[in-house]
């Protein structure tokens, strides 16, 4: 398997007038295509900063970040956005659905951003809603759904563009255990069909679905457990 992500000596420092906070401290990390990796660690250890950089929502101060063999650490926002929208899907703890849009419209949004035709959009949205077993909710609004259903919609939106990589930030954090397990099964199924997944989680239970657990402390990776 070839590397999808290769991070070397990555640093990110947040500065205010009085305080300097080192969020990432010479972090090193590799993720191969098709892996399912869980990132764990206490609050404030740098997990969210790492996820923002991996998702091309932020850039590091120093260090190297290769994505599919391309050095992208200091790309400008336009170049990062272009790579992001064609390669990466996001699943958040708080679902981040748009209340004014129906389930269908929420899932369709990433396809509009990438310029997919109306006919192709309809086909792909219906395909993914069917796969997530929420087709019968296509005309409902997020507020009319349970938490578990909202997260299914969020997963559908994340995968409708067929991204190479899914970044999941506490994907079961707002769900009860049975809905949480369903979401983890969905992610596992996507991974088995070839999607690379990096998941930040506090849940040891959820982390066990992954192939490998990376534990972080003070902006660095401290241990790795290989589960398969």
């Amino acid at each position: 398997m070839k590397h999808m992500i290769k991070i070397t000596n990555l640093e990110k420092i947040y500065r205010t007038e009085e305080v300097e906070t080192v969020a990432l401290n010479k972090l090193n990390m590799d993720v191969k295509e098709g892996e399912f990796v869980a990132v764990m660690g206490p609050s404030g250890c740098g997990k969210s900063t790492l996820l923002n950089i991996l998702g091309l929502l932020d850039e590091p101060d120093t260090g190297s970040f290769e994505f599919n063999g391309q050095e992208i650490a200091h790309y400008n926002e336009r170049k990062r956005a272009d790579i992001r929208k064609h390669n990466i899907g996001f699943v958040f703890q708080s679902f981040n659905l748009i209340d004014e849009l129906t389930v269908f419209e929420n899932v369709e949004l990433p396809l509009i951003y990438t310029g997919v035709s109306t006919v192709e959009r309809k086909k792909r949205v219906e395909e993914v809603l069917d796969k997530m077993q929420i087709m019968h909710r296509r005309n409902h609004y997020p507020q009319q759904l349970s938490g578990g259903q909202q997260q299914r919609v969020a997963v559908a939106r994340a995968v409708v563009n067929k991204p190479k990589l899914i970044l999941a930030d506490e994907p079961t954090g707002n769900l009860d255990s049975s809905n949480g397990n369903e979401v983890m099964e969905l992610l596992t199924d996507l991974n088995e069909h070839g999607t690379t997944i990096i998941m930040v989680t506090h849940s040891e239970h959820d982390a066990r679905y992954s192939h490998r657990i990376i534990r972080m402390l003070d902006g660095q990776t401290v241990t790795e457990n290989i589960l398969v």
Side-chain angles (χ1 to χ4, degrees), residues 66-84:
E66 288 181 26
F67 185 79
N68 282 336
Q70 199 175 356
E71 176 57 70
I72 60 171
H74 300 293
Y75 273 13
N76 63 30
E77 171 51 30
R78 183 180 292 178
K79 276 177 141 177
R80 291 204 310 269
D82 194 50
I83 293 172
R84 183 170 63 236

Side-chain angles (χ1 to χ4, degrees), residues 2 15 30 71 90 147 175 207:
K2 73 181 181 89
R15 294 179 176 88
D30 292 350
E71 176 57 70
F90 296 88
L175 303 176

Side-chain angles (χ1 to χ4, degrees), residues 137-200:
R137 300 287 193 184
R138 58 176 291 166
N139 296 319
H140 290 192
Y141 291 89
Q143 301 304 324
Q144 297 173 296
L145 307 179
S146 69
Q149 288 168 336
Q150 288 189 56
Q151 194 58 300
R152 279 172 176 266
V153 177
V155 172
R157 180 187 57 190
V159 302
V160 74
N161 245 344
K162 302 186 169 79
K164 297 182 177 75
L165 172 66
I166 286 182
L167 298 175
D169 190 0
E170 299 283 359
T172 66
N174 283 341
L175 303 176
D176 61 35
S177 58
S178 86
N179 277 313
N181 287 342
E182 274 189 22
V183 167
M184 291 311 303
E185 296 290 349
L186 283 176
L187 291 175
T188 301
D189 183 58
L190 290 166
N191 175 248
E192 285 169 356
H193 284 87
T195 308
T196 307
I197 297 176
I198 301 174
M199 173 180 71
V200 163

Side-chain angles (χ1 to χ4, degrees), residues 71-220:
E71 176 57 70
I72 60 171
H74 300 293
Y75 273 13
N76 63 30
E77 171 51 30
R78 183 180 292 178
K79 276 177 141 177
R80 291 204 310 269
D82 194 50
I83 293 172
R84 183 170 63 236
K85 69 187 182 187
H86 288 99
N87 293 281
I88 302 172
F90 296 88
V91 180
F92 302 96
Q93 176 176 343
S94 54
F95 318 137
N96 284 16
L97 301 174
I98 297 170
D99 289 341
E100 294 74 26
L101 299 182
T102 63
V103 164
F104 185 96
E105 290 164 342
N106 265 285
V107 175
E108 183 185 30
L109 214 49
L111 298 174
I112 293 172
Y113 289 146
T114 48
V116 175
S117 72
T118 309
V119 173
E120 178 67 11
R121 286 203 307 265
K122 183 173 186 293
K123 176 174 164 284
R124 276 166 62 176
V125 173
E126 287 178 351
E127 217 170 70
V128 77
L129 290 180
D130 199 39
K131 187 175 182 185
M132 297 294 163
Q133 298 174 350
I134 43 171
M135 181 66 103
H136 60 299
R137 300 287 193 184
R138 58 176 291 166
N139 296 319
H140 290 192
Y141 291 89
Q143 301 304 324
Q144 297 173 296
L145 307 179
S146 69
Q149 288 168 336
Q150 288 189 56
Q151 194 58 300
R152 279 172 176 266
V153 177
V155 172
R157 180 187 57 190
V159 302
V160 74
N161 245 344
K162 302 186 169 79
K164 297 182 177 75
L165 172 66
I166 286 182
L167 298 175
D169 190 0
E170 299 283 359
T172 66
N174 283 341
L175 303 176
D176 61 35
S177 58
S178 86
N179 277 313
N181 287 342
E182 274 189 22
V183 167
M184 291 311 303
E185 296 290 349
L186 283 176
L187 291 175
T188 301
D189 183 58
L190 290 166
N191 175 248
E192 285 169 356
H193 284 87
T195 308
T196 307
I197 297 176
I198 301 174
M199 173 180 71
V200 163
T201 182
H202 279 107
S203 163
E204 294 283 350
H205 171 269
D206 289 359
R208 285 199 292 273
Y209 283 88
S210 70
H211 303 152
R212 183 160 61 103
I213 302 173
I214 295 174
R215 295 183 193 271
M216 288 180 67
L217 189 64
D218 298 333
Q220 296 176 307

